[in-house]
Amino acid sequence: MKNTITGYTGLYGIVAHPIKHSFSPMMHNTAFQTLGINDVYLAFEVTDEHLGDFITSVKTLNIKGFNVSMPYKLKIMDYLDELTEEAKLCQAVNTVKNENGRLIGHISDGQGFIKACFEKNWHIKDEKIVVLGAGGAACAIIVSLAKEQAREIVVYNRSDKPFIRELNEKLSCPIVLKSLSDQEALKNDLKDAYLLVQTTNVGMSPNVDGCLIEDDSYLHQGLKIADIIYNPKKTKLLEMAKDKGLDYMNGEGMILYQGAVSFEFWTGQAMPILEVKKALGMEE
């Protein structure tokens, strides 16, 4: 790696605890170097009691922007001056831009998911979509699906989620919440769905045998299947999809493109996706 750091080099980063495992630094530094942008990106592992100190450092050191991961996606909003429409709808932030000391929060997860779908030539407009789970990632995905004019979004979750009612008041796409325990309803909804999106941690390593779909009779020919888990690369659900010859994707694309959305939010430039994929070992 060529050393191009100077006294003019700008600073970005990601804040969370823990965060040293993140591949965001590799992603963004590859993009900066490829485009000849004189900036660097670091991982800031900050404990809860020092989050306010981190924000002070952002303003003092003129850190140009940063990503936010768990457990701070909600708490970070207490320190921000402005939220984008998506962040307001989701009431969560994973990307912050520093504009002359004014901190603007955004959430890029949902847009990242949409871009990953588009890369596979999947479309969203006028389609019925079934979402499993209603956590933070699901909320961002649901908001972006609605903004892309999905015909209907049916969400299956174990418990009630008041934010679904709130989104229905603010978005034109109907969003229906149903109980995950009603497997017959899930099976019926999947019959005419275009896309199934699995957003929970069921099936994630090390519990790789977990799956919210009982068997492949739920999956009709032509159904697209997305599981936002990327470890393992093929969950039990995606193995089921593969065996049935269905089009599917794991969470790698969403991770990549949420980073790309953050990058463009900060710099106004498109992330060089091919070079970043190579750096992350994601190219086929």
Side-chain angles (χ1 to χ4, degrees):
M1 184 169 64
K2 185 179 178 182
N3 184 358
T4 58
I5 294 176
T6 71
Y8 296 95
T9 301
L11 180 59
Y12 291 88
I14 182 167
V15 62
H17 187 262
I19 197 56
K20 287 183 169 60
H21 63 281
S22 173
F23 48 70
S24 290
M26 176 70 77
M27 181 188 304
H28 291 286
N29 286 318
T30 298
F32 289 143
Q33 291 162 24
T34 300
L35 297 177
I37 296 173
N38 189 14
D39 290 322
V40 295
Y41 183 108
L42 301 175
F44 301 114
E45 192 155 291
V46 176
T47 56
D48 186 73
E49 65 268 26
H50 292 301
L51 186 59
D53 296 330
F54 171 75
I55 296 297
T56 299
S57 300
V58 167
K59 296 183 178 183
T60 302
L61 301 175
N62 195 29
I63 293 173
K64 298 166 77 171
F66 59 94
N67 287 120
V68 185
S69 193
M70 297 304 291
Y72 303 136
K73 287 187 174 186
L74 304 181
K75 189 173 182 180
I76 198 71
M77 292 190 292
D78 294 339
Y79 300 94
L80 304 181
D81 301 295
E82 184 182 334
L83 297 176
T84 62
E85 181 187 6
E86 287 85 356
K88 287 177 184 175
L89 288 168
C90 295
Q91 282 299 294
V93 163
N94 77 333
T95 304
V96 178
K97 175 166 57 175
N98 182 359
E99 289 191 347
N100 301 312
R102 183 173 177 80
L103 302 183
I104 303 168
H106 182 49
I107 188 157
S108 63
D109 292 330
Q111 290 171 308
F113 177 80
I114 297 296
K115 286 180 178 291
C117 288
F118 288 168
E119 184 181 67
K120 291 189 66 66
N121 293 317
W122 297 356
H123 57 274
I124 304 301
K125 187 177 180 181
D126 297 328
E127 297 292 357
K128 177 180 177 179
I129 297 168
V130 174
V131 177
L132 303 180
C139 182
I141 289 170
I142 290 165
V143 166
S144 290
L145 290 171
K147 289 174 74 68
E148 288 294 328
Q149 301 179 330
R151 172 167 56 89
E152 178 186 11
I153 302 168
V154 186
V155 182
Y156 279 84
N157 198 55
R158 297 193 191 281
S159 59
D160 185 36
K161 286 289 181 175
F163 82 82
I164 299 288
R165 289 189 290 275
E166 294 168 10
L167 289 181
N168 271 307
E169 293 171 3
K170 298 171 183 175
L171 297 167
S172 58
C173 171
I175 306 166
V176 181
L177 179 64
K178 298 184 181 181
S179 174
L180 196 50
S181 63
D182 192 345
Q183 288 288 306
E184 198 58 41
L186 174 58
K187 198 169 191 176
N188 284 331
D189 273 316
L190 285 172
K191 286 178 181 176
D192 63 341
Y194 172 80
L195 171 63
L196 169 64
V197 188
Q198 201 295 118
T199 71
T200 77
N201 60 6
V202 176
M204 184 184 294
S205 182
N207 302 311
V208 296
D209 291 329
C211 186
L212 294 176
I213 299 295
E214 291 181 351
D215 58 66
D216 69 1
S217 67
Y218 285 62
L219 312 178
H220 67 79
Q221 290 302 317
L223 180 67
K224 320 292 185 192
I225 300 179
D227 193 326
I228 70 169
I229 291 171
Y230 55 89
N231 182 21
K233 290 193 173 186
K234 272 198 200 75
T235 59
K236 187 174 179 180
L237 174 62
L238 294 188
E239 289 285 1
M240 209 181 288
K242 180 185 177 184
D243 290 346
K244 200 147 184 179
L246 305 182
D247 202 5
Y248 64 89
M249 71 176 181
N250 66 14
E252 285 186 335
M254 176 176 165
I255 291 291
L256 172 70
Y257 282 106
Q258 65 81 25
V261 171
S262 295
F263 187 85
E264 190 162 347
F265 182 66
W266 295 324
T267 68
Q269 296 192 53
M271 178 178 275
I273 292 296
L274 182 59
E275 287 78 5
V276 172
K277 276 187 173 181
K278 288 178 182 176
L280 297 178
M282 288 174 59
E283 78 281 7
E284 303 212 350

